[in-house]
Short mmCIF file of all heavy atoms in Angstrom, two decimals:
data_model
loop_
_atom_site.label_atom_id
_atom_site.label_comp_id
_atom_site.label_asym_id
_atom_site.label_seq_id
_atom_site.Cartn_x
_atom_site.Cartn_y
_atom_site.Cartn_z
N ALA A 266 -3.88 -4.31 2.49
CA ALA A 266 -3.73 -3.21 3.30
C ALA A 266 -4.90 -3.09 4.35
O ALA A 266 -4.73 -2.62 5.45
CB ALA A 266 -3.74 -2.01 2.40
N ILE A 267 -6.08 -3.42 3.90
CA ILE A 267 -7.32 -3.38 4.80
C ILE A 267 -7.10 -4.50 5.88
O ILE A 267 -7.28 -4.13 7.12
CB ILE A 267 -8.50 -3.74 4.03
CG1 ILE A 267 -8.90 -2.55 3.06
CG2 ILE A 267 -9.73 -3.91 4.89
CD1 ILE A 267 -10.09 -2.85 2.11
N ASP A 268 -6.82 -5.67 5.41
CA ASP A 268 -6.79 -6.86 6.51
C ASP A 268 -5.63 -6.60 7.56
O ASP A 268 -5.70 -6.94 8.67
CB ASP A 268 -6.48 -8.16 5.70
CG ASP A 268 -7.78 -8.55 5.00
OD1 ASP A 268 -8.85 -8.01 5.27
OD2 ASP A 268 -7.67 -9.56 4.17
N ARG A 269 -4.48 -6.08 7.02
CA ARG A 269 -3.30 -6.00 7.85
C ARG A 269 -3.38 -4.72 8.67
O ARG A 269 -3.05 -4.58 9.89
CB ARG A 269 -1.93 -5.90 7.14
CG ARG A 269 -1.60 -7.27 6.53
CD ARG A 269 -0.33 -7.12 5.75
NE ARG A 269 0.81 -6.52 6.51
CZ ARG A 269 1.84 -6.00 6.02
NH1 ARG A 269 2.04 -5.76 4.72
NH2 ARG A 269 2.79 -5.45 6.83
N GLY A 270 -4.19 -3.68 8.22
CA GLY A 270 -4.26 -2.45 8.91
C GLY A 270 -5.40 -2.32 9.87
O GLY A 270 -5.39 -1.42 10.72
N ILE A 271 -6.32 -3.22 9.75
CA ILE A 271 -7.72 -3.05 10.62
C ILE A 271 -7.29 -3.09 12.14
O ILE A 271 -8.11 -2.59 12.93
CB ILE A 271 -8.72 -4.09 10.17
CG1 ILE A 271 -10.01 -3.80 10.75
CG2 ILE A 271 -8.14 -5.51 10.54
CD1 ILE A 271 -10.66 -2.52 10.26
N ASP A 272 -6.33 -3.90 12.44
CA ASP A 272 -6.10 -4.17 13.98
C ASP A 272 -4.88 -3.46 14.41
O ASP A 272 -4.43 -3.77 15.62
CB ASP A 272 -5.91 -5.64 14.10
CG ASP A 272 -7.20 -6.39 13.96
OD1 ASP A 272 -8.32 -5.94 14.29
OD2 ASP A 272 -7.20 -7.55 13.29
N VAL A 273 -4.32 -2.38 13.74
CA VAL A 273 -3.12 -1.63 14.26
C VAL A 273 -3.69 -0.23 14.29
O VAL A 273 -4.61 0.26 13.88
CB VAL A 273 -1.91 -1.77 13.39
CG1 VAL A 273 -1.59 -3.34 13.30
CG2 VAL A 273 -2.24 -1.28 12.03
N GLY A 274 -2.66 0.58 15.03
CA GLY A 274 -2.88 1.98 15.04
C GLY A 274 -2.86 2.70 13.75
O GLY A 274 -2.27 2.15 12.61
N ILE A 275 -3.32 3.94 13.66
CA ILE A 275 -3.51 4.59 12.32
C ILE A 275 -2.05 4.81 11.74
O ILE A 275 -1.95 4.62 10.49
CB ILE A 275 -4.22 5.84 12.53
CG1 ILE A 275 -4.40 6.61 11.13
CG2 ILE A 275 -3.38 6.78 13.51
CD1 ILE A 275 -5.24 5.94 10.20
N ASP A 276 -1.14 5.10 12.52
CA ASP A 276 0.30 5.40 11.97
C ASP A 276 0.88 4.12 11.34
O ASP A 276 1.42 4.10 10.16
CB ASP A 276 1.23 5.83 13.03
CG ASP A 276 0.89 7.24 13.49
OD1 ASP A 276 0.30 7.92 12.76
OD2 ASP A 276 1.33 7.57 14.65
N GLU A 277 0.74 2.95 11.96
CA GLU A 277 1.14 1.62 11.40
C GLU A 277 0.26 1.27 10.25
O GLU A 277 0.78 0.71 9.29
CB GLU A 277 1.14 0.56 12.43
CG GLU A 277 1.50 -0.81 11.96
CD GLU A 277 2.96 -0.97 11.54
OE1 GLU A 277 3.72 0.10 11.78
OE2 GLU A 277 3.28 -1.99 10.90
N GLY A 278 -0.93 1.56 10.38
CA GLY A 278 -1.78 1.28 9.16
C GLY A 278 -1.50 2.03 7.98
O GLY A 278 -1.51 1.50 6.82
N LEU A 279 -1.15 3.33 8.06
CA LEU A 279 -0.69 4.13 6.98
C LEU A 279 0.59 3.66 6.39
O LEU A 279 0.86 3.68 5.18
CB LEU A 279 -0.69 5.58 7.45
CG LEU A 279 -1.95 6.26 7.73
CD1 LEU A 279 -1.69 7.63 8.33
CD2 LEU A 279 -2.82 6.35 6.54
N ARG A 280 1.55 3.00 7.28
CA ARG A 280 2.78 2.57 6.82
C ARG A 280 2.54 1.43 5.93
O ARG A 280 3.07 1.09 4.79
CB ARG A 280 3.64 2.24 7.88
CG ARG A 280 5.09 1.75 7.56
CD ARG A 280 5.78 1.09 8.72
NE ARG A 280 5.13 -0.28 8.95
CZ ARG A 280 5.31 -1.28 8.21
NH1 ARG A 280 6.04 -1.31 7.06
NH2 ARG A 280 4.80 -2.43 8.49
N ILE A 281 1.56 0.56 6.35
CA ILE A 281 1.12 -0.82 5.71
C ILE A 281 0.59 -0.25 4.27
O ILE A 281 0.89 -0.86 3.24
CB ILE A 281 0.17 -1.57 6.45
CG1 ILE A 281 0.93 -2.16 7.68
CG2 ILE A 281 -0.38 -2.60 5.59
CD1 ILE A 281 0.03 -2.89 8.64
N GLU A 282 -0.30 0.67 4.30
CA GLU A 282 -0.93 1.17 3.14
C GLU A 282 0.09 1.67 2.07
O GLU A 282 0.02 1.33 0.92
CB GLU A 282 -1.95 2.30 3.42
CG GLU A 282 -2.71 2.81 2.18
CD GLU A 282 -3.58 4.03 2.56
OE1 GLU A 282 -2.97 5.10 2.96
OE2 GLU A 282 -4.73 3.96 2.54
N ARG A 283 1.11 2.40 2.57
CA ARG A 283 2.09 2.92 1.63
C ARG A 283 2.92 1.82 1.09
O ARG A 283 3.21 1.82 -0.19
CB ARG A 283 2.93 3.99 2.43
CG ARG A 283 4.09 4.50 1.51
CD ARG A 283 3.62 5.17 0.29
NE ARG A 283 4.77 5.46 -0.67
CZ ARG A 283 5.33 6.59 -0.65
NH1 ARG A 283 4.92 7.51 0.13
NH2 ARG A 283 6.31 6.93 -1.60
N ALA A 284 3.30 0.77 1.75
CA ALA A 284 4.03 -0.28 1.37
C ALA A 284 3.33 -1.04 0.31
O ALA A 284 3.77 -1.38 -0.74
CB ALA A 284 4.41 -1.26 2.54
N CYS A 285 2.00 -1.22 0.46
CA CYS A 285 1.18 -1.94 -0.56
C CYS A 285 0.95 -1.01 -1.71
O CYS A 285 0.95 -1.51 -2.85
CB CYS A 285 -0.21 -2.17 0.04
SG CYS A 285 -0.17 -3.53 1.29
N TYR A 286 0.91 0.22 -1.66
CA TYR A 286 0.73 1.21 -2.66
C TYR A 286 1.99 1.13 -3.59
O TYR A 286 1.88 1.14 -4.82
CB TYR A 286 0.50 2.58 -2.23
CG TYR A 286 0.31 3.58 -3.25
CD1 TYR A 286 -0.99 3.83 -3.84
CD2 TYR A 286 1.34 4.34 -3.83
CE1 TYR A 286 -1.18 4.74 -4.90
CE2 TYR A 286 1.12 5.22 -4.87
CZ TYR A 286 -0.03 5.47 -5.26
OH TYR A 286 -0.30 6.43 -6.28
N ASP A 287 3.12 1.13 -2.90
CA ASP A 287 4.34 1.11 -3.70
C ASP A 287 4.55 -0.07 -4.65
O ASP A 287 5.14 -0.05 -5.74
CB ASP A 287 5.62 1.22 -2.72
CG ASP A 287 5.78 2.69 -2.19
OD1 ASP A 287 5.09 3.59 -2.66
OD2 ASP A 287 6.55 2.75 -1.29
N VAL A 288 3.98 -1.21 -4.27
CA VAL A 288 4.04 -2.43 -4.99
C VAL A 288 3.22 -2.07 -6.42
O VAL A 288 3.67 -2.55 -7.56
CB VAL A 288 3.45 -3.62 -4.29
CG1 VAL A 288 3.25 -4.79 -5.27
CG2 VAL A 288 4.33 -4.00 -3.21
N THR A 289 2.04 -1.47 -6.27
CA THR A 289 1.35 -1.21 -7.50
C THR A 289 1.92 -0.04 -8.25
O THR A 289 1.74 -0.04 -9.49
CB THR A 289 -0.18 -0.96 -7.22
OG1 THR A 289 -0.20 0.32 -6.25
CG2 THR A 289 -0.83 -1.93 -6.34
N LEU A 290 2.63 0.90 -7.59
CA LEU A 290 3.14 2.04 -8.23
C LEU A 290 4.12 1.64 -9.32
O LEU A 290 4.20 2.29 -10.42
CB LEU A 290 3.83 2.90 -7.24
CG LEU A 290 4.50 4.20 -7.74
CD1 LEU A 290 3.47 5.12 -8.38
CD2 LEU A 290 5.15 4.89 -6.67
N TYR A 291 4.95 0.63 -9.14
CA TYR A 291 5.94 0.20 -9.93
C TYR A 291 5.47 -0.98 -10.82
O TYR A 291 6.24 -1.90 -11.04
CB TYR A 291 7.25 -0.05 -9.32
CG TYR A 291 7.76 1.25 -8.54
CD1 TYR A 291 7.60 1.36 -7.18
CD2 TYR A 291 8.43 2.20 -9.28
CE1 TYR A 291 8.04 2.50 -6.57
CE2 TYR A 291 8.95 3.39 -8.69
CZ TYR A 291 8.69 3.56 -7.29
OH TYR A 291 9.13 4.67 -6.67
N SER A 292 4.25 -1.05 -11.18
CA SER A 292 3.74 -2.17 -11.94
C SER A 292 3.38 -1.78 -13.38
O SER A 292 3.11 -0.59 -13.72
CB SER A 292 2.47 -2.79 -11.24
OG SER A 292 1.35 -1.80 -11.40
N GLU A 293 3.36 -2.80 -14.33
CA GLU A 293 2.97 -2.48 -15.66
C GLU A 293 1.43 -2.11 -15.73
O GLU A 293 1.14 -1.33 -16.59
CB GLU A 293 3.24 -3.85 -16.53
CG GLU A 293 4.68 -4.10 -16.71
CD GLU A 293 4.89 -5.37 -17.47
OE1 GLU A 293 3.97 -5.82 -18.22
OE2 GLU A 293 6.00 -5.94 -17.42
N ASP A 294 0.68 -2.73 -14.83
CA ASP A 294 -0.73 -2.24 -14.86
C ASP A 294 -0.96 -0.91 -14.47
O ASP A 294 -1.98 -0.32 -15.00
CB ASP A 294 -1.46 -3.25 -13.87
CG ASP A 294 -1.84 -4.58 -14.40
OD1 ASP A 294 -1.73 -4.80 -15.60
OD2 ASP A 294 -2.18 -5.52 -13.70
N ARG A 295 -0.12 -0.34 -13.53
CA ARG A 295 -0.23 1.07 -13.31
C ARG A 295 -0.10 1.92 -14.55
O ARG A 295 -0.85 2.83 -14.91
CB ARG A 295 0.72 1.49 -12.27
CG ARG A 295 0.65 2.94 -11.80
CD ARG A 295 1.75 3.72 -12.37
NE ARG A 295 1.72 5.15 -11.84
CZ ARG A 295 2.54 5.95 -12.17
NH1 ARG A 295 3.43 5.77 -13.16
NH2 ARG A 295 2.50 7.28 -11.61
N ASP A 296 0.94 1.62 -15.33
CA ASP A 296 1.30 2.31 -16.55
C ASP A 296 0.10 2.02 -17.57
O ASP A 296 -0.28 3.08 -18.26
CB ASP A 296 2.60 1.80 -17.22
CG ASP A 296 3.80 2.14 -16.24
OD1 ASP A 296 3.68 3.03 -15.57
OD2 ASP A 296 4.76 1.47 -16.40
N GLU A 297 -0.33 0.87 -17.69
CA GLU A 297 -1.54 0.64 -18.52
C GLU A 297 -2.74 1.39 -18.19
O GLU A 297 -3.47 1.90 -19.05
CB GLU A 297 -1.81 -0.89 -18.59
CG GLU A 297 -3.12 -1.29 -19.16
CD GLU A 297 -3.30 -0.92 -20.67
OE1 GLU A 297 -2.30 -0.53 -21.39
OE2 GLU A 297 -4.43 -0.98 -21.21
#
């Protein structure tokens, strides 16, 4: 999220952040 978001506008950066967040949201580690 940091590496892909650093060179784009804030709106696109937040979209990237959310997409990366969703990957962790549905993980076993999140439940643990």
